[in-house]
Amino acid sequence: MSETRVDEPVDVPVDEQVEEQIAVPLAALRPSLEALLMVADQPMETMTLASAVGYPLDEVTAALDALASEYTEQGRGFELRHVGGGWRYYTRDEYAAVVEGYVLEGQQARLTQAALETLAVVAYKQPVSRARVSAIRGVNVDGVMRTLLSRGLVEEAGNDHETGANLYRTTTYFLERIGISSLDELPELAPYLPDMADLEDELAEMAAPVAEPVGSEQEPEPAPPSPHSPHSGNGTEPDGGTEPT
């Protein structure tokens, strides 16, 4: 007959390990599950729920299935789904319009052209500082950037190693809103840029002297733009980046 040494590990079945980890039940099963699921911000695995409520795994599984069926039979505005490897409450599809109206109330202001241009610069140049965005657009973009940050379209992305300035990038919410899964799917800019030949023609026309009528007086040169002109490079966007619908 072989002897088992005390210091040798003994294999314990997984089921027994789970039973040892599950504590003594503290409350009724179904209300306990509902309370936990109510505060969950992501799907909770059945094993996690069983450990939390202190009930055997098979009882917890049966209770979850029963709750999901009851909510459907009772026509509740929410349902209990098993998705992503766990359980979580979701509002029912037929009440999506009600939920959407409440969540989006007060947030229907559309982004202005200035905000869209700033967002495009961030999307293609990220991570990028506010100063860099301002230099590209030729205006101060502080107000517009605050709007993009508050709308969840842009977020901070660390600091520049040389200047210490805050860097910004687009968020996953930005990707969701424009319907792509990664920045690699952004359209190429080249097709939207002017042809070099056309650009040279325009520059030549701008540089060509303008013939003045005989006897006409020369018009005075226009005054330089005001320091606060939105196109002077030192001004500020005339709005915060949104416009009413």
Side-chain angles (χ1 to χ4, degrees), residues 153-186:
L153 296 168
V154 169
E155 64 184 1
E156 293 188 3
N159 302 95
D160 186 272
H161 296 298
E162 297 181 357
T163 65
N166 290 334
L167 298 176
Y168 298 90
R169 65 189 176 195
T170 54
T171 63
T172 53
Y173 178 63
F174 163 77
L175 298 178
E176 294 174 7
R177 294 298 296 172
I178 65 175
I180 62 178
S181 58
S182 71
L183 295 173
D184 295 334
E185 299 179 26
L186 286 173

Side-chain angles (χ1 to χ4, degrees), residues 9 33 40 46 53-54 60 67 69-70 77 125 127 133 145 153 158 161 175 180 195 204 209 221-222 244:
L33 292 173
T46 308
V53 299
V60 172
L67 285 173
S69 299
E70 288 181 7
K125 292 292 185 178
V133 177
M145 287 293 288
L153 296 168
H161 296 298
L175 298 178
I180 62 178
D195 184 74
E221 295 184 1

Side-chain angles (χ1 to χ4, degrees), residues 4 18 35-36 42 56 89 101 103-104 111 121 123 169 185 192 225 230:
T4 301
V18 172
L36 290 172
Q42 58 185 358
Y89 284 125
V103 172
L104 297 181
L111 293 177
V121 173
R169 65 189 176 195
E185 299 179 26
Y192 301 97

Side-chain angles (χ1 to χ4, degrees), residues 181-231:
S181 58
S182 71
L183 295 173
D184 295 334
E185 299 179 26
L186 286 173
E188 294 291 337
L189 287 178
Y192 301 97
L193 297 177
D195 184 74
M196 287 302 299
D198 296 337
L199 187 58
E200 290 177 357
D201 292 340
E202 291 186 19
L203 292 175
E205 291 178 4
M206 294 174 62
V210 179
E212 298 181 2
V214 178
S216 64
E217 297 183 359
Q218 184 177 359
E219 292 291 337
E221 295 184 1
S226 168
H228 299 292
S229 170
H231 299 288

